[in-house]
């Protein structure tokens, strides 16, 4: 049963992050995921300083607030004329460094380590359980299921508007699509997704799952709906493959899952290049007839 919950948690991370990452790739905002996954450390430390407790609920609230704050600060700086990548870099490094500094000053004797935030430990997921409505499951599973439902709800309500705002923001704004509302709503969902996932699997795997599956799906998809489907499929597949490879080699589960994401991307890229080359060769032969 322990193995099932570890695999199921990884599968949920892959599916949830795979879904959330599609518009990140299409809107060319993939690095915001990296920023949020690191700046949550600042929110965790601030939550501890305020509450003086390591209760998971308050730490997660602090992490969520930090994630949303990161997205808002990046947008604020970008709106003021600063390049988006520069804005992400400034906010990312500043808040992450502030989190590390606050740990040193106010939580040096408390079990708040940077390594846990970055790497996580998915193998411990089955031991931290919540019971809701007489159903007992790991806390990470409850959180990921909730965020998955939130992401699905957001897409069901605003899919057409998000698609239009992504590919033609000027036209979308001219016909009354709430561009700013959609942007902040999307960034909030990304923050919740990151927070729900990083507590169990760490920031590195969250970034890999948010970017890798969607980028891989983008290579072979002919529509956005296909891209969502393939992205979730790649994310879930990477989680399962990564778990069994980690078990075989007795190594980090989260690290191997992230590696599996990269391997699937490379395999898909090479396969797509081969298919394109053969297609061009075939078309060239037909034209030569």
């Amino acid at each position: 049963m322990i193995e099932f919950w570890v695999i199921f948690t990884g599968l949920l991370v892959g599916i949830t992050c795979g879904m959330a990452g599609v518009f990140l790739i299409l809107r060319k905002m993939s690095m915001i995921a990296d920023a949020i996954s690191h700046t949550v450390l600042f929110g965790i430390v601030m939550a501890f300083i305020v509450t003086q407790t390591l209760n998971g609920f308050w730490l997660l609230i602090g992490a969520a607030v930090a994630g949303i704050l990161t997205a808002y600060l990046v947008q604020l700086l970008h709106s003021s004329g600063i390049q988006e990548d520069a804005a992400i870099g400034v906010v990312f490094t500043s808040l992450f460094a502030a989190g590390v500094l606050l740990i040193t000053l106010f939580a040096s004797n408390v079990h708040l380590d940077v390594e846990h935030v970055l790497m996580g430990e998915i193998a411990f997921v089955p031991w931290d359980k919540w019971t809701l409505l007489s159903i007992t499951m790991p806390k990470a599973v409850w959180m990921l299921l909730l965020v998955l439902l939130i992401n699905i709800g957001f897409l069901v309500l605003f899919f057409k508007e998000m698609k239009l705002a992504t590919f033609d923001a000027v036209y979308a704004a001219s016909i009354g699509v709430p561009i700013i509302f959609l942007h902040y709503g999307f960034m909030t969902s990304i923050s919740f997704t990151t927070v729900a996932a990083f507590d169990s699997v760490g920031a590195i795997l969250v970034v890999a799952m948010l970017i890798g599956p969607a980028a891989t799906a983008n290579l072979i998809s002919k529509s956005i709906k296909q891209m969502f489907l393939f992205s979730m499929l790649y994310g879930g597949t990477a989680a399962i493959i990564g778990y069994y490879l980690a078990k075989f080699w007795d190594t980090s589960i989260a690290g191997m899952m992230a590696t599996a994401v990269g391997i699937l991307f490379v395999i898909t890229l090479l396969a797509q290049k081969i298919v394109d080359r053969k297609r061009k060769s075939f078309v060239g032969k037909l034209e030569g007839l």
Side-chain angles (χ1 to χ4, degrees), residues 1-16 122 125-126 136-138 140-146 148 200-201 209 235-236 239-240 243-244 253 257:
M1 196 64 179
I2 293 176
E3 184 176 68
F4 167 78
W5 286 123
V6 173
I7 296 174
F8 188 59
T9 301
L11 190 63
L12 281 177
V13 171
I15 293 173
T16 305
I122 195 172
V125 163
T136 301
M137 293 193 298
V141 173
W142 281 113
M143 292 179 59
L144 288 166
L145 286 174
L146 175 61
L148 180 60
S200 56
V201 301
M209 286 294 191
I240 295 173
Y243 173 78
Y244 284 106
I253 298 174
M257 287 181 178

Side-chain angles (χ1 to χ4, degrees), residues 154-226:
F154 183 80
L155 286 175
V156 169
L157 292 174
F158 303 111
F159 178 75
K160 291 182 179 179
E161 291 81 359
M162 281 291 295
K163 183 168 66 172
L164 187 58
T166 298
F167 292 105
D168 197 340
V170 175
Y171 175 69
S174 69
I175 63 174
V177 175
I179 301 294
I180 300 300
F181 169 79
L182 288 177
H183 175 78
Y184 285 128
F186 177 59
M187 285 295 97
T188 300
S189 72
I190 292 296
S191 297
F192 282 132
T193 301
T194 303
V195 170
F198 94 93
D199 185 50
S200 56
V201 301
I204 293 176
L205 181 57
V206 173
V207 175
M209 286 294 191
L210 277 171
I211 299 173
T216 307
N218 194 36
L219 295 173
I220 60 174
S221 301
K222 296 181 180 179
S223 68
I224 296 181
K225 290 182 179 180
Q226 276 191 10

Side-chain angles (χ1 to χ4, degrees), residues 226-280:
Q226 276 191 10
M227 190 173 172
F228 273 104
L229 179 62
F230 286 134
S231 182
M232 291 186 289
L233 181 62
Y234 274 119
T237 301
I240 295 173
I241 292 175
Y243 173 78
Y244 284 106
L245 288 178
K247 183 179 180 180
F248 179 76
W249 278 312
D250 190 24
T251 187
S252 167
I253 298 174
M256 188 55 72
M257 287 181 178
T259 302
V261 171
I263 292 173
L264 288 176
F265 175 81
V266 172
I267 292 174
T268 305
L269 179 63
L270 292 176
Q272 191 244 359
K273 293 292 185 183
I274 292 172
V275 170
D276 283 349
R277 186 174 299 173
K278 288 185 176 181
R279 184 185 297 116
K280 290 179 180 178

Side-chain angles (χ1 to χ4, degrees), residues 56-171:
F57 174 78
W58 293 113
L59 297 186
L60 289 173
I61 292 295
V65 171
I68 296 171
L69 177 64
T70 300
Y72 289 176
L73 288 176
V74 169
Q75 180 61 26
L76 180 64
L77 291 176
H78 181 51
S79 300
S80 67
I82 299 176
Q83 289 181 213
E84 188 172 37
D85 57 343
I88 292 173
V90 170
V91 174
F92 163 28
T93 53
S94 298
L95 291 184
F96 183 67
V100 174
L101 183 61
L102 288 173
I103 286 180
T104 304
L105 294 176
F106 301 106
S108 58
N109 297 322
V110 181
H111 185 58
L112 274 175
D113 62 280
V114 178
E115 182 178 354
H116 173 72
V117 174
L118 294 178
M119 294 301 297
E121 186 44 77
I122 195 172
F124 294 157
V125 163
W127 308 109
D128 188 5
K129 297 183 178 180
W130 282 353
T131 300
L132 299 174
L133 302 175
S134 300
I135 301 174
T136 301
M137 293 193 298
K139 178 187 71 174
V141 173
W142 281 113
M143 292 179 59
L144 288 166
L145 286 174
L146 175 61
V147 172
L148 180 60
L149 291 176
I150 291 173
N151 288 347
I152 291 173
F154 183 80
L155 286 175
V156 169
L157 292 174
F158 303 111
F159 178 75
K160 291 182 179 179
E161 291 81 359
M162 281 291 295
K163 183 168 66 172
L164 187 58
T166 298
F167 292 105
D168 197 340
V170 175
Y171 175 69

